[in-house]
Amino acid sequence: MRYADITRRLAGLGGAKWDVHIKAKALRAQGHDILELTIGEPDVPTPKALMDVASAAMQAGRTGYSDGRGEPGLRAALSERYSQRTGRPISANQVMCFPGTQTALFSVMMGIADTGCEVLVGDPMYATYEGVIRASGADMVPVPLRPENGFRLAADDLAARITPRTRAILLTTPHNPTGSILTASDIDAIGELALAHDLWIISDEVYEDLIFDGETFTSPLSRDELSDRVIVVSSISKSHAAPGFRSGWCIGPEAFTETLLPLSETMLFGNQPFIADMTEKAVGDGSDVAHDMCTRFAARARHLEHRLTQGCDLKVHTPQAGMFAMIDVSSTGLNGNDYALHLLEHAHVAVMPGTSFGSTLDNWVRVALTIDDDAFDTACTRIIQHATQLQLETA
């Protein structure tokens, strides 16, 4: 039987990147004592106040068809939030609501890129970015994020890869997997390139509310001169510990949202009204859990760096935001993928190979900061013992 070209473009981009995580789940189901540091699940449940809103809305009959752009109340709440953040009016007509950031990003990419286009994206990147770019028919052009630059996207590296086929720059700030944050100067330099070459800027800002103390976040949406070319995607999955509710959005120019609407309506025609009501409260009230999550994640990142620096030769890149830290495992003589499999087999700790997020991280692994402190400390001990044993075996 024959299949559409999109299935060929996406072949190999599914579960293969999560092989270590899947193996860890299987071992744990068999009764093995596996410490999972793979997936970025919030370490607290969804707040009861939000679930109560969703439940009450369902009981009140908010279960019918919805507005294809998003429910009016939620769009108004997002309009107010982004107007306050940017200091300029962001109308409700600039807002479109989706079931999660992933759906928003897929729709945005399908709306702006075609076969023959190129999309520039930092390498490493979130694991699904290659898929959403290739789904549109466009080619992904990785731009190395250099450890010596704090894994921040450098405008010079971008400029070297711009061609007449380039259509967009895909940013993640704060960044997954590295936890880096683009500075205001970074944004200005990237914006100048976008203006000079007439490029879209898509900014994934799902970790905006998980910025560690002392750090500063800047969005390209705040730059007036970029207002006609910036599209922001985000959700309540991380900020409000609500990943399973799948509630996200995009913010862009009115001409963009108007153009994207038929695509969005063809794909899903709105999301669930009762979840929209819950999200409206989340956006309007802010997060009751984000600050404490930030405090815990930052503390665990510092603890990881301290333990590994004192106990072995592994090097930790300390994040500025988010749920993850990166470990350089090159001192073991193994690449990141082989190290992650060896660590799982011999130390029963599951981490993500860096190559799940791009070729730049061949010698790195990503560690989730989302298990409780005692379990996290045990994981640190196992990682140190494992590294010591590897060093003895190769001496």
Side-chain angles (χ1 to χ4, degrees):
M1 301 299 293
R2 290 174 290 180
Y3 297 91
D5 280 348
I6 190 173
T7 62
R8 174 185 52 79
R9 294 196 297 268
L10 298 183
L13 296 180
K17 293 189 176 185
W18 306 97
D19 184 51
V20 174
H21 173 69
I22 293 167
K23 281 183 168 65
K25 285 285 191 184
L27 287 170
R28 191 168 187 177
Q30 295 167 12
H32 295 280
D33 177 23
I34 304 295
L35 295 175
E36 293 184 36
L37 305 177
T38 48
I39 300 299
E41 290 272 7
D43 65 347
V44 291
T46 304
K48 183 178 181 299
L50 296 183
M51 292 193 289
D52 286 346
V53 171
S55 176
M58 282 191 284
Q59 295 298 326
R62 294 278 288 151
T63 57
Y65 288 118
S66 62
D67 190 310
R69 293 179 181 271
E71 292 298 278
L74 173 55
R75 290 170 56 224
L78 287 164
S79 168
E80 181 176 356
R81 168 182 168 169
Y82 282 92
S83 294
Q84 291 177 351
R85 197 187 80 175
T86 62
R88 58 184 172 83
I90 301 293
S91 77
N93 289 334
Q94 294 179 248
V95 179
M96 294 185 70
C97 301
F98 294 91
T101 309
Q102 180 67 23
T103 313
L105 189 57
F106 178 88
S107 302
V108 167
M109 200 63 66
M110 294 295 287
I112 67 171
D114 294 300
T115 299
C117 295
E118 294 175 343
V119 176
L120 304 179
V121 59
D123 178 355
M125 69 197 76
Y126 180 58
T128 68
Y129 283 0
E130 184 175 2
V132 296
I133 293 169
R134 286 172 56 178
S136 73
D139 294 323
M140 183 185 75
V141 179
V143 182
L145 305 183
R146 306 179 191 280
E148 60 269 25
N149 194 43
F151 289 111
R152 301 191 335 269
L153 188 60
D156 287 346
D157 290 331
L158 271 175
R161 290 162 176 82
I162 293 175
T163 75
R165 297 172 55 200
T166 307
R167 179 66 59 86
I169 301 168
L170 173 55
L171 305 178
T172 319
T173 184
H175 189 255
N176 178 7
T178 68
S180 63
I181 302 174
L182 292 173
T183 66
S185 295
D186 293 333
I187 295 295
D188 289 343
I190 292 168
E192 288 178 7
L193 287 175
L195 288 167
H197 297 277
D198 192 23
L199 305 178
W200 290 99
I201 297 176
I202 307 162
S203 186
D204 181 347
E205 300 176 359
V206 73
Y207 288 98
E208 177 192 352
D209 289 333
L210 295 183
I211 296 170
F212 299 165
D213 286 347
E215 305 293 349
T216 302
F217 168 73
T218 302
S219 170
L221 191 68
S222 65
R223 300 297 197 250
D224 287 348
E225 67 274 18
L226 302 176
S227 61
D228 64 343
R229 65 185 63 249
V230 171
I231 304 161
V232 166
V233 296
S234 193
S235 75
I236 62 169
S237 294
K238 310 298 186 182
S239 58
H240 291 76
F245 282 89
R246 312 309 304 138
S247 186
W249 55 85
C250 76
I251 311 292
E254 285 193 23
F256 164 79
T257 56
E258 190 68 30
T259 301
L260 193 67
L261 183 60
L263 171 64
S264 173
E265 291 181 330
T266 299
M267 183 173 69
L268 52 86
F269 215 104
N271 50 358
Q272 302 89 333
F274 60 93
I275 294 180
D277 293 349
M278 167 186 159
T279 309
E280 180 183 344
K281 178 174 177 60
V283 170
D285 291 355
S287 176
D288 293 332
V289 296
H291 180 269
D292 288 346
M293 280 197 291
C294 278
T295 300
R296 291 191 298 275
F297 298 157
R300 288 171 193 153
R302 291 192 300 269
H303 185 69
L304 178 72
E305 183 176 24
H306 174 75
R307 290 291 315 274
L308 269 57
T309 299
Q310 297 296 315
C312 64
D313 291 333
L314 300 178
K315 297 178 182 178
V316 178
H317 170 75
T318 304
Q320 299 171 283
M323 298 180 167
F324 309 104
M326 303 299 304
I327 302 177
D328 181 347
V329 301
S330 56
S331 63
T332 67
L334 300 175
N335 63 38
N337 189 70
D338 291 344
Y339 171 87
L341 290 169
H342 199 277
L343 182 70
L344 177 61
E345 179 181 355
H346 295 277
H348 286 181
V349 176
V351 299
M352 289 292 289
T355 48
S356 293
F357 309 98
S359 60
T360 300
L361 292 181
D362 184 57
N363 294 317
W364 295 72
V365 295
R366 188 190 77 172
V367 174
L369 305 169
T370 52
I371 63 174
D372 70 69
D373 291 345
D374 289 341
F376 192 79
D377 185 61
T378 300
C380 291
T381 299
R382 293 184 187 181
I383 290 170
I384 293 168
Q385 292 172 343
H386 175 259
T388 302
Q389 185 61 39
L390 279 175
Q391 188 174 23
L392 290 173
E393 292 173 0
T394 56

